[in-house]
Amino acid sequence: MTEYTGKRTSKTTALAIVVIIMIIAAIAITFFQKRSGDRSAMSTGNKAGTTADQAAPIDQQKVIDYEALDKESALSKEMDDRKEKYGLEDSVDMVAKADEAVRVGDHTVSMETIQEQSALGKGRVVETDLPGGLSVNPENTTEYGIHVVQPGENIWDIHFQLLKDYFEEKDVSLSPLADEPAKNGTSSGIGKILKFSENSVIIYNLNKNKIEIDLDIIHPLEKIVVYQMDELFSLLDRIDYKNIRKLEFDGKTLWMPADTQKAATD
């Protein structure tokens, strides 16, 4: 009787140990399978661009089609409304929001791509004798003005046309020679703004899908000129045209003495 009980107890203990080992093994297998699955999902998400901090792919963004501007009255009206906000008419073809994309011919590019590639903050504005100063952060740009380069255009003329549109909205008519230097060789106020804008404007090559560094070489319908509207117009809105000749430009920075700015009550 005693011998039988001992064998039964021994068998029960062994069975319990086997069961415990099986449970531990099952838990371990489940744990490693879950970790493997999580890594796989994370990898897939990264490749697909579905992580939370990434923008939606182009096929999920609103695309502004340059060639459709004359065909779709609704799109043309929307672009006219957006340009009117800045007092522009002919100098930009489209105004795109930061989460939108533009299409020119067979090429489509998102504004996020252009923003990521551009050297944001190249141009700086420095004000003297003004408490607090003017703070412009290109990373906060919410809208972009797009000019599609046409045959015979150069970057200087494109910039000048934008300034001409802007000042006409303010009832100031720019002379065609407003950007010409003075007799002593010094740049005019408009000329200084144009030179400064070359530091902040973006030239994007649609064929090569990249930012262009050489502003002197632009090709029709192949490149677009991109203005960071928030940055540019926060600057223009602070300049008093009557004192524009007092602006100073040192090749990188546009200096705005306090008396060249509009009064706070304007």
Side-chain angles (χ1 to χ4, degrees), residues 216-231:
D216 295 325
I217 303 176
I218 55 177
H219 302 291
L221 302 179
E222 176 185 308
K223 298 181 181 179
I224 55 177
V225 178
V226 182
Y227 294 97
Q228 299 171 78
M229 303 301 270
D230 311 67
E231 178 185 19

Side-chain angles (χ1 to χ4, degrees), residues 186-204:
T186 59
S187 297
S188 66
I190 291 296
K192 292 170 185 176
I193 295 176
L194 289 171
K195 289 179 179 179
F196 169 78
S197 68
E198 290 185 348
N199 285 341
S200 57
V201 73
I202 301 169
I203 307 296
Y204 191 81

Side-chain angles (χ1 to χ4, degrees), residues 130-169:
L130 180 68
L134 173 62
S135 176
V136 177
N137 185 357
E139 294 183 355
N140 292 332
T141 297
T142 60
E143 291 188 328
Y144 298 85
I146 312 294
H147 177 90
V148 180
V149 178
Q150 302 296 326
E153 289 186 323
N154 60 64
I155 193 65
W156 187 270
D157 290 341
I158 292 172
H159 288 341
F160 185 76
Q161 183 59 50
L162 184 139
L163 288 181
K164 189 172 182 234
D165 277 1
Y166 172 82
F167 282 112
E168 282 182 355
E169 180 66 17

Side-chain angles (χ1 to χ4, degrees), residues 15 24 87 101 197 206:
L15 180 60
I24 293 174
S197 68
L206 296 166

Side-chain angles (χ1 to χ4, degrees), residues 68-81 83:
L69 288 177
D70 294 330
K71 302 175 184 177
E72 298 183 15
S73 58
L75 178 61
S76 297
K77 176 64 166 57
E78 182 177 9
M79 290 301 103
D80 288 343
D81 290 342
K83 289 190 288 183

